[in-house]
């Protein structure tokens, strides 16, 4: 079982290396976030021992439980799911990255909770890049207002954008969605300042489409199935 997970993990690392080779990028410029949702702690521990440090969960309670059970390790925790403002207080003490912020109200709450414990939290602004259907993330037009608001925050650091592409059998079909996220990042770079807003990161690409995402500039890929196997939900 644990042999399986390590060989699947190494296969993902290989895919990342090859994708980087094909577009002349440095594989070290890509952060692999292992999305462990619904999978047992032993899988996470096995990967930690193997040198994988970034882990993502998409439910607040699952993240809280996971951070608690894995305890004080070198793990770096990412929250990647639909974020309810009232759940932020349960993760700020340990989470390192909140990738799925799409409202000023959520930024305000992260800032409030992070300042209480004087802890810096990295965040990404999630943008709806898949159009009408799935409504996750802010609309591209809202980005300027959100980033302008973030400029004055002290404990909340915007580090880039996150997007989820439409699910498609052929990943080439979602290339325009990844390109949109990168364009939006490039077009908002004038809003960067010394500390609070820096837009170096693009979190995009999952099991099905990581190669396309990397060729369009992803700096973080969020991989679940290819590492942990199929999920039963
Ligand atoms: C589940 C999930 C992933 C990983 O998806 P896979 O297709 O299993 O690699 C990435 N990002 C988010 C936001 C997710 O919820």
């Amino acid at each position: 079982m644990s042999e399986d997970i390590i060989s699947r993990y190494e296969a993902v690392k290989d895919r990342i290396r090859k994708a980087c080779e094909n577009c002349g990028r440095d594989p070290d410029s890509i952060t692999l976030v292992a999305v462990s949702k619904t999978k047992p702690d032993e899988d996470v521990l096995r990967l930690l021992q193997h040198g994988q440090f970034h882990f993502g969960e998409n439910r607040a309670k699952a993240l809280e439980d996971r951070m608690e059970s894995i305890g004080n390790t070198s793990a770096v925790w990412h929250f990647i799911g639909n974020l309810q403002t009232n759940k932020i207080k349960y993760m700020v003490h340990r989470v390192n990255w909140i990738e799925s912020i799409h409202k000023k109200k959520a930024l305000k709450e992260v800032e409030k909770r992070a300042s209480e414990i004087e802890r810096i939290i990295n965040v990404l602004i999630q943008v709806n890049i898949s159009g009408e259907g799935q409504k996750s993330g802010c609309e591209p037009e809202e980005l300027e207002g959100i980033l302008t608001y973030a400029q004055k925050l002290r404990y909340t650091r915007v580090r880039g954008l996150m997007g989820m592409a439409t699910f498609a059998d052929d990943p080439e079909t979602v290339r325009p969605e990844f390109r949109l996220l990168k364009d939006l990042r490039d077009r908002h770079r004038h809003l960067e300042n010394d500390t609070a807003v820096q837009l170096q990161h693009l979190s995009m690409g999952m099991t099905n489409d990581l190669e396309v995402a990397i060729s369009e500039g992803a700096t973080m890929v969020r991989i679940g199935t290819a590492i942990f196997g199929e999920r039963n939900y």
Side-chain angles (χ1 to χ4, degrees):
M1 201 47 197
S2 60
E3 286 303 312
D4 275 4
I5 195 166
I6 297 306
S7 55
R8 284 195 301 258
Y9 172 76
E10 285 302 331
V12 169
K13 297 287 278 185
D14 272 340
R15 282 176 65 187
I16 293 172
R17 272 190 290 270
K18 288 204 182 81
C20 285
E21 217 170 272
N22 287 337
C23 59
R25 295 186 59 196
D26 177 0
D28 291 339
S29 67
I30 314 283
T31 300
L32 168 55
V33 179
V35 178
S36 49
K37 59 192 185 192
T38 78
K39 297 296 180 179
D41 289 339
E42 59 183 282
D43 287 358
V44 172
L45 288 167
R46 189 77 185 84
L47 286 169
L48 261 172
Q49 284 161 9
H50 192 70
Q52 168 63 30
F53 299 116
H54 291 257
F55 292 92
E57 290 286 341
N58 71 333
R59 294 197 177 160
K61 181 74 170 93
L63 177 67
E64 200 189 343
D65 291 349
R66 186 78 80 190
M67 293 190 300
E68 192 58 40
S69 56
I70 301 297
N72 246 341
T73 59
S74 36
V76 180
W77 300 106
H78 294 239
F79 184 73
I80 61 173
N82 185 25
L83 183 61
Q84 290 169 277
T85 306
N86 64 356
K87 298 286 168 60
I88 290 170
K89 59 177 176 290
Y90 301 118
M91 60 177 80
V92 279
H93 62 292
R94 226 173 211 158
V95 74
N96 303 96
W97 291 81
I98 302 178
E99 299 199 18
S100 41
I101 298 265
H102 61 271
K103 287 188 282 208
K104 286 180 211 169
K105 191 177 151 210
L107 280 176
K108 187 178 177 195
E109 174 71 5
V110 172
E111 180 69 9
K112 177 176 169 225
R113 299 293 175 180
S115 70
E116 284 167 4
I117 54 173
E118 301 196 345
R119 195 161 178 270
I120 302 288
I121 312 282
N122 296 305
V123 308
L124 302 178
I125 308 300
Q126 184 174 2
V127 186
N128 178 16
I129 53 172
S130 64
E132 296 300 314
Q134 299 136 296
K135 282 279 176 197
S136 47
C138 71
E139 295 306 314
E141 310 80 67
E142 295 173 301
L143 204 45
E144 181 166 356
I146 293 172
L147 293 174
T148 303
Y149 177 82
Q151 286 173 332
K152 65 171 172 32
L153 303 178
R154 296 184 55 215
Y155 292 91
T156 313
R157 305 220 162 139
V158 176
R159 286 294 170 262
L161 306 181
M162 185 271 237
M164 265 179 105
T166 310
F167 182 81
D169 287 328
D170 176 6
E172 272 303 323
T173 61
V174 298
R175 186 179 287 279
E177 298 179 15
F178 294 138
R179 193 163 291 173
L180 171 64
L181 197 69
K182 179 172 190 299
D183 281 352
L184 286 169
R185 188 276 301 273
D186 294 346
R187 279 192 261 143
H188 289 83
R189 284 212 111 149
H190 65 283
L191 296 172
E192 290 185 324
N193 64 12
D194 284 347
T195 49
V197 178
Q198 296 275 319
L199 300 177
Q200 68 267 47
H201 283 292
L202 288 173
S203 175
M204 56 189 196
M206 316 196 329
T207 288
N208 204 39
D209 52 21
L210 75 89
E211 285 85 359
V212 179
I214 287 174
S215 73
E216 293 298 332
T219 65
M220 286 186 187
V221 290
R222 308 177 308 269
I223 310 299
T225 310
I227 298 174
F228 294 92
E230 295 289 339
R231 290 177 298 269
N232 307 316
Y233 74 87

